[in-house]
Amino acid sequence: MTAGTTGAQEVPEAHDEWRGWREAAQEALYGPAGFYRAGPEGPAGHFRTSVHASPLFAAAVARLLCRVDEALGRPAPLAFVDMAAGRGELVTGVLAALPAAVAARTRAYAVEVAGRPEGLDHRIEWLAEPPRGVTGLLFANEWLDNVPVEVAEVDAAGVARRVLVSGDGTERLGGPVAGAEAAWLARWWPLPGEEGLRAEVGLPRDTAWASAVASLDAGLAVAADYAHTLGSRPPFGTLTGFRAGRETRPVPDGSCDITAHVALDACASAHAARCAPDRTPPDALVRPQREALRALGVTGVRPPLALASTDPAAYVRALTRASQAAELLAPGGLGDFGWLLQPVGGVDAAALLVDVADDEEE
């Protein structure tokens, strides 16, 4: 969490050194020398996502793609779109985990601002924007938390103001939040008039998500991310940074990741608002990652100890899978991520999350 700016002197927003967090983070993350364009290792060199924690995650997403495929009547081609693909780790894992018959019909897309990595599977198309008019599964793992947003903070008079930031991460209060941003705060993150309370104005994320979902003609869009919902918003916001595997103060100079948790309920509503007035959008779901992954076969059940004596190698493999699954499902960790499942074209999101028995093999 970024330290508050309570008591700071207001400065004009036109000051050359000071910018809103949205503009500053956009350049720091995605500009020519931005964090997401630097280094061959990409984001994986600085933080660990579910994709990097275990191949079980990609296998679960592949299983979800197969369920979407069945719900759509096995279309050809079947699209898998990996938003914020990093260096292609998830899309590569999903293709490897698909049954051969499904993989043969699958057209895989990686959407990322960085250049295409060397040696990437030739079947994967590398794009700067999601393809339009496709049918299948769009999966956004830790994308929306990196869509830059403005930060608001309540001043001594009880007014919510934009937080301005300089290149070294120093903050000041700017002008009052107004217009569409003020309306968003009033609807999705109301700030009581208590000095120092903060919020991230998620309007750009709502817009980005609605646009991504609209790229599908039919299928399912999933956003998996750090999340909160109305009624449980953190009082001081969540803006933070990550560098070399450790949380750090967010500094918009391209040296660290800049991230904030996502109001997934607002994102879901934004897509519904863009649907045609005469069309009722299918019901979206927001579920904890542990619930979604368990429904997709990730259980974390440890192998029976007897297996260690009859087949030691199999026991070690099964124990490794169980340990990896436990990390993906862990309360207080990756298991607390939120999954927003947004169906398109009549797909029933709830029917895709079918519970599996706790003792089902990985």
Side-chain angles (χ1 to χ4, degrees), residues 116-291:
R116 182 185 181 96
E118 293 185 9
L120 189 71
D121 191 318
H122 71 277
R123 294 175 295 173
I124 300 169
E125 295 188 44
W126 196 264
L127 304 172
E129 299 288 340
R132 315 300 294 185
V134 298
T135 296
L137 174 63
L138 180 146
F139 202 93
N141 186 59
E142 295 194 41
W143 168 50
L144 289 174
D145 68 293
N146 289 127
V147 173
V149 294
E150 298 292 1
V151 178
E153 183 175 320
V154 179
D155 68 9
V159 176
R161 295 183 176 273
R162 289 174 70 225
V163 176
L164 307 181
V165 62
S166 67
D168 66 359
T170 303
E171 293 183 334
R172 297 284 190 271
L173 294 183
V177 178
E181 292 178 344
W184 189 94
L185 282 179
R187 170 66 181 88
W188 293 108
W189 198 330
L191 285 172
E194 180 181 338
E195 185 178 7
L197 295 182
R198 288 167 67 111
E200 290 100 32
V201 186
L203 189 59
R205 293 168 173 178
D206 296 356
T207 302
W209 179 244
S211 178
V213 176
S215 71
L216 292 175
D217 275 354
L220 181 73
V222 178
D225 229 314
Y226 302 95
H228 45 63
T229 55
L230 190 65
S232 62
R233 308 288 191 218
F236 301 104
T238 61
L239 186 73
T240 191
F242 284 92
R243 182 189 295 114
R246 295 186 177 184
E247 189 169 7
T248 186
R249 186 171 73 99
V251 178
D253 62 359
S255 68
C256 67
D257 186 28
I258 298 173
T259 178
H261 294 197
V262 183
L264 286 179
D265 48 351
C267 293
S269 180
H271 167 67
R274 287 183 56 158
C275 290
D278 60 346
R279 177 185 171 199
T280 301
D283 291 335
L285 299 177
V286 177
R287 295 287 187 269
Q289 173 158 293
R290 73 177 63 86
E291 180 179 320

